[in-house]
Amino acid sequence: MNKIDIIIPIYNSKDTLEKTLISIERQNILDKIEIYLIDDYSTDNYESILNRYNNLNIHYHKLDKNVGPGLARQKGIDISNNKYIFFLDSDDEIFLPDSLEKLYNEIEKGFDVVVSNTKYEKINEIYNNSGDLHGKLYLRDFIIKNDIKFNNTRYHEDNAFHNLVIVHGANTSFIKNITYLYSHNINSLTEIDKEKEFNNLELLISNTKYIIDIGLKHNCNEFIIRECLYRKIRYLNKRYEDFNNLQKEQIQAWLKKYKLNIGEYLNRKDYANIQQEILNNYDLKN
């Protein structure tokens, strides 16, 4: 019987982890699920929670230092071994009892990854997020065969991972179901103040270079790599206009630091032309 490994990085997550586990406990295909809790060197003690949910097939592993959610997830990949992988954050939930079943039934048709819809709990918004890990079921063999790994950044590391899945040519299916409930926790790493948000753009830029470099190293389709780069340019361009001149100069300096030659596109709105220039002319090896 093919099974799903749910990998959950936890860091001082005692107040939110229980609702996450409850959402797993109510899944229709609970017999096909194993849970890997990767404790990223928390000070919280999870023993009482683990005891309350001893009916679940939980593997608890504590890291000997804090490494961030990306490398914690990577540890989960390394120590788990079932056919499929689902990533879940410790303050989020699986949406409905049949959510994993929907993903499972679809990926069993022979796909490398299945993408579904996510609901933002706090703002009651539904979206298809093709960029990060939310609401996706992965075939382990595809990840291992292509040596796709999380890097050691603590911002957009999930986006970098999934974009590597894309550039490696994953056979992807999209389903309309909502499977993931995103808590939009104001204390989470993604809910940061404006200054940190700006500073983390350097990590976004370095992650983009990481995607390109790994894609080239693994001889991935260069057209797909360029499509990924174009999406990053659109994202950066929309953010770029919100910053002052000194911040814009810093962004340009980061682009030069990571040898990402896209600075000229960050003050343009002619996206159709930008797309054609990137897809046809951009030198990925510059």
Side-chain angles (χ1 to χ4, degrees):
M1 179 174 61
N2 296 327
K3 290 188 174 184
I4 299 171
D5 288 328
I6 299 180
I7 296 174
I8 309 173
I10 55 176
Y11 177 72
N12 294 342
S13 307
K14 190 174 180 180
D15 292 339
T16 61
L17 180 59
E18 191 158 3
K19 71 172 184 177
T20 303
L21 294 177
I22 289 172
S23 77
I24 298 173
E25 187 179 39
R26 64 180 183 168
Q27 291 303 300
N28 293 346
I29 57 169
L30 189 58
D31 60 327
K32 294 182 174 69
I33 294 171
E34 293 190 33
I35 303 164
Y36 285 80
L37 296 180
I38 311 301
D39 184 348
D40 194 14
Y41 205 59
S42 299
T43 56
D44 281 357
N45 187 318
Y46 300 102
E47 184 176 359
S48 61
I49 294 177
L50 295 174
N51 288 338
R52 277 199 299 278
Y53 294 92
N54 59 12
N55 60 313
L56 299 178
N57 192 350
I58 296 177
H59 307 265
Y60 172 79
H61 182 89
K62 183 161 186 174
L63 303 179
D64 58 8
K65 63 179 180 179
N66 180 261
V67 297
L71 292 187
R73 293 187 190 104
Q74 185 60 50
K75 184 65 176 183
I77 293 174
D78 294 341
I79 66 175
S80 60
N81 57 18
N82 282 305
K83 187 170 183 177
Y84 304 120
I85 297 173
F86 184 85
F87 296 104
L88 183 60
D89 290 348
S90 61
D91 54 355
D92 295 339
E93 301 172 53
I94 303 174
F95 189 59
L96 293 173
D98 66 350
S99 291
L100 277 185
E101 184 178 23
K102 297 287 188 184
L103 290 166
Y104 180 88
N105 289 341
E106 186 68 10
I107 204 169
E108 283 276 276
K109 297 175 184 178
F111 295 103
D112 299 318
V113 59
V114 179
V115 179
S116 65
N117 287 316
T118 295
K119 182 176 181 179
Y120 266 98
E121 181 180 33
K122 293 292 192 298
I123 58 177
N124 197 30
E125 181 177 303
I126 298 168
Y127 70 109
N128 184 300
N129 191 345
S130 58
D132 62 25
L133 303 177
H134 298 150
K136 298 171 179 64
L137 188 61
Y138 295 91
L139 176 67
R140 174 187 299 279
D141 282 352
F142 182 84
I143 293 171
I144 301 302
K145 176 183 69 176
N146 291 291
D147 195 28
I148 299 171
K149 295 182 177 180
F150 287 92
N151 62 7
N152 62 356
T153 59
R154 295 172 183 254
Y155 182 71
H156 278 317
E157 79 294 328
D158 57 339
N159 183 280
F161 180 91
H162 186 69
N163 274 276
L164 283 175
V165 171
I166 293 171
V167 301
H168 281 83
N171 182 16
T172 303
S173 178
F174 298 85
I175 63 174
K176 295 180 180 179
N177 307 79
I178 302 169
T179 68
Y180 198 101
L181 183 64
Y182 180 54
S183 71
H184 208 56
N185 185 351
I186 61 172
N187 295 316
S188 71
L189 284 177
T190 53
E191 292 306 307
I192 51 182
D193 61 45
K194 287 284 187 179
E195 183 178 355
K196 286 184 179 180
E197 184 178 17
F198 169 74
N199 290 332
N200 280 335
L201 284 180
E202 181 180 5
L203 298 179
L204 176 62
I205 291 166
S206 68
N207 280 342
T208 302
K209 181 63 173 172
Y210 170 75
I211 294 165
I212 293 172
D213 288 348
I214 295 298
L216 291 175
K217 179 181 177 181
H218 292 178
N219 297 312
C220 294
N221 185 305
E222 291 190 10
F223 185 85
I224 300 177
I225 299 174
R226 289 190 179 94
E227 284 187 324
C228 173
L229 176 60
Y230 169 68
R231 291 193 299 272
K232 298 296 186 184
I233 289 170
R234 287 204 63 152
Y235 177 82
L236 280 169
N237 207 346
K238 289 178 180 178
R239 306 289 296 280
Y240 192 69
E241 62 190 24
D242 294 330
F243 298 119
N244 61 43
N245 288 335
L246 285 176
Q247 290 172 320
K248 288 178 180 178
E249 289 177 7
Q250 181 61 69
I251 291 171
Q252 294 290 346
W254 287 330
L255 291 173
K256 291 179 181 178
K257 175 181 177 180
Y258 294 100
K259 299 179 181 179
L260 199 59
N261 188 24
I262 61 172
E264 66 182 284
Y265 301 113
L266 298 189
N267 57 1
R268 290 171 51 181
K269 299 301 179 187
D270 54 329
Y271 288 117
N273 291 330
I274 293 173
Q275 184 177 31
Q276 287 304 309
E277 290 175 25
I278 294 297
L279 295 182
N280 296 329
N281 303 318
Y282 186 82
D283 182 6
L284 293 171
K285 302 179 179 68
N286 65 41

